[in-house]
Amino acid sequence: MAALSICEALLLAMNDHNLLPEREITGVLRDAAAAHENAVGDTAKIAMHRSVASLINVIMAGISPSGRP
């Protein structure tokens, strides 16, 4: 969770300072979520990966201007 929070803050800062366009940032997040959504393993590992994918999707929603405070 800490790593996701740090990455979210960094991505938001990059977006705010026009270092990366929003489409690039959402692309990175989309790829990361897909990797977790397609992970294999036992039931517990799959559940953990799906939880991570859900968190990444929440972060992605927060990157869009309409979703940010």
Side-chain angles (χ1 to χ4, degrees), residues 17-36:
H17 294 285
N18 297 316
L19 298 174
L20 277 177
E22 184 180 319
R23 72 185 184 317
E24 293 290 332
I25 292 170
T26 55
V28 167
L29 292 170
R30 192 175 302 115
D31 290 347
H36 287 283

Side-chain angles (χ1 to χ4, degrees), residues 4-66:
L4 283 173
S5 295
I6 292 165
C7 288
E8 178 182 18
L10 289 170
L11 290 170
L12 290 171
M14 285 195 254
N15 190 20
D16 290 346
H17 294 285
N18 297 316
L19 298 174
L20 277 177
E22 184 180 319
R23 72 185 184 317
E24 293 290 332
I25 292 170
T26 55
V28 167
L29 292 170
R30 192 175 302 115
D31 290 347
H36 287 283
E37 288 165 349
N38 297 316
V40 296
D42 62 30
T43 304
K45 284 192 178 203
I46 291 172
M48 184 270 307
H49 282 289
R50 288 191 178 149
S51 294
V52 171
S54 292
L55 289 170
I56 293 169
N57 286 322
V58 168
I59 291 169
M60 192 169 18
I63 295 293
S64 78
S66 61

